[in-house]
Amino acid sequence: MLRLATIFALCAAADAGRCACVPGAVPPNVTTSLAGGNNGTVALLSALRRVVQQAAPCHRALWREAFLLCAAWEGSHIALSRHEAAAAQPYFVFPTFCGESSLASASAAAPAPSAVDAADPAFAISQRPRAASTTASTGSRTRCGTP
Amino acid sequence: MILYAVGALAQAVVGPAAEHRDAWLFLEELVGNLSELKGDEAANGLQWTYCTTSYNPVEPWGRDGNPSHRNNTLLPQLVWVDVPVNFTDAAVRLNCSSAAAARELPPPELAALLRRRLRPAAAGQADLTARAGGSECTVSKAALSAAFSAVLNSSNALCNDLSAGAPGLVGSAAVLQAFRSAEPPRGTLHGLRAMLSNSKKEVFRARATGLWDALMEFKDGDLASSE
């Protein structure tokens, strides 16, 4: 949960690196992994908030230490993805599962869109140029080529 | 969540971390690594994708030809070597009372929500993301916007400052330098440790604590009581 929360909290405008992204069919389990989707993430945040608010002060401090470790990890590798977005060795991408257009316009020449972008209010904040999003519902998405 | 839940369980079963550090660490490492394997199998390449690089190669057990393993790289697994050490050390330092451990375990409500995340959606179940595209995506976006609006600008700025290597932070250039200081897996571990070292930097701790307090809706009084 902390990992999910920090991913969504820290990915405010997560850039995706170009990852030799190639079209690929959406495997059947894509909806499995997304069960609950963003509304599920919101529900988790709400539940976690209730748990932490009711915790004893010492345990609340321990929750915070867990978050700080998670934030150091998630924040640093989102930062690295931004740092390496234009490099020869992109580090990390969010394949998009929530968007409007087809994969065809998300060519390898453009940065791959972020999974969080389409569901991410910071998309409007950052105003960064992005490739068109892909959508799971149309059966297309981006992913790295075989290593 | 896993760190805390396993810690709370360890405290209830074996006792405080200060007296049973090795047992805590063993449980954290075991459950953490298993959860990463399970999580990557379920979501890597779907919700996120690691790109293989010279410093973050495919994990040795990911070379088995299974398509679902092909984007599983070494770094996220190594996280569960070092993060439990850091968390257990924090638990030793805080030395919370074990008397309250049992009631500090995550309640069934939270456990049920977590389980549902990795379970196939039932027919007709509201899943705004999976049925993305068009207006439903807009609804999903609005839901996240409302939930995380308090931290969007500050978290975005923190990631930018980490990327740029702002004063007081271990930036991406330093992380990359650590990654490339040795061949994997040693270099991968060096880079990971550079990433995690931010959790001990005062500047990072202050800013990330601000994110945490906003997410948890803590007020000044709550802050003071958790110190």
Side-chain angles (χ1 to χ4, degrees), chain B residues 111-185:
Chain B
L113 282 165
L114 278 169
R115 278 198 302 273
R116 207 168 66 195
R117 288 288 301 184
L118 296 177
R119 202 171 59 191
Q125 175 183 331
D127 185 348
L128 299 177
T129 308
R131 293 187 284 125
S135 60
E136 286 172 342
C137 196
T138 304
V139 175
S140 179
K141 178 177 173 178
L144 275 184
S145 176
F148 293 97
S149 60
V151 298
L152 286 177
N153 285 326
S154 48
S155 61
N156 186 46
L158 178 58
C159 287
N160 279 341
D161 286 348
L162 284 167
S163 183
L169 300 173
V170 180
S172 296
V175 169
L176 271 173
Q177 189 175 25
F179 271 130
R180 292 168 173 154
S181 65
E183 291 296 312

Side-chain angles (χ1 to χ4, degrees), chain B residues 92-108:
Chain B
V92 169
R93 191 176 66 251
L94 288 167
N95 197 20
C96 297
S97 161
S98 59
R103 66 178 167 82
E104 300 296 350
L105 282 168

Side-chain angles (χ1 to χ4, degrees), chain A residues 3 9 19 33 35 37-38 41 49-50 53 57-59 64-65 77 82 91 93 97-98 137 141 146-147, chain B residues 4 36 45 47 49-51 70 75 96 109 117 119 129 132 137 140 155-156 159-160 205 215-216 225 227:
Chain A
R3 184 166 179 177
C19 187
S33 72
N38 291 336
T41 300
R49 185 180 293 137
R50 284 195 295 276
Q53 286 177 344
C58 188
H59 289 269
R64 187 180 58 187
E65 290 301 319
H77 84 174
R82 293 180 183 186
Y91 167 71
V93 297
F97 53 82
C98 187
S137 61
R141 66 192 179 95
T146 304
Chain B
Y4 187 89
E36 186 64 41
Q47 294 193 47
T49 298
Y50 285 94
C51 303
R70 68 180 187 169
L75 184 58
C96 297
E109 174 198 16
R117 288 288 301 184
R119 202 171 59 191
T129 308
C137 196
S140 179
S155 61
N156 186 46
C159 287
N160 279 341
R205 288 183 66 87
L215 284 170
M216 294 299 111
S225 65
E227 294 298 332

Side-chain angles (χ1 to χ4, degrees), chain B residues 29-41:
Chain B
E29 295 272 357
L30 178 68
V31 178
N33 277 284
L34 288 176
S35 74
E36 186 64 41
L37 287 169
K38 180 67 179 169
D40 280 352
E41 184 184 347

Side-chain angles (χ1 to χ4, degrees), chain A residues 51 59 63, chain B residues 1 4-10 12 100-108 110:
Chain A
V51 170
H59 289 269
W63 272 114
Chain B
M1 175 68 198
Y4 187 89
V6 174
L9 185 65
R103 66 178 167 82
E104 300 296 350
L105 282 168
L110 194 54

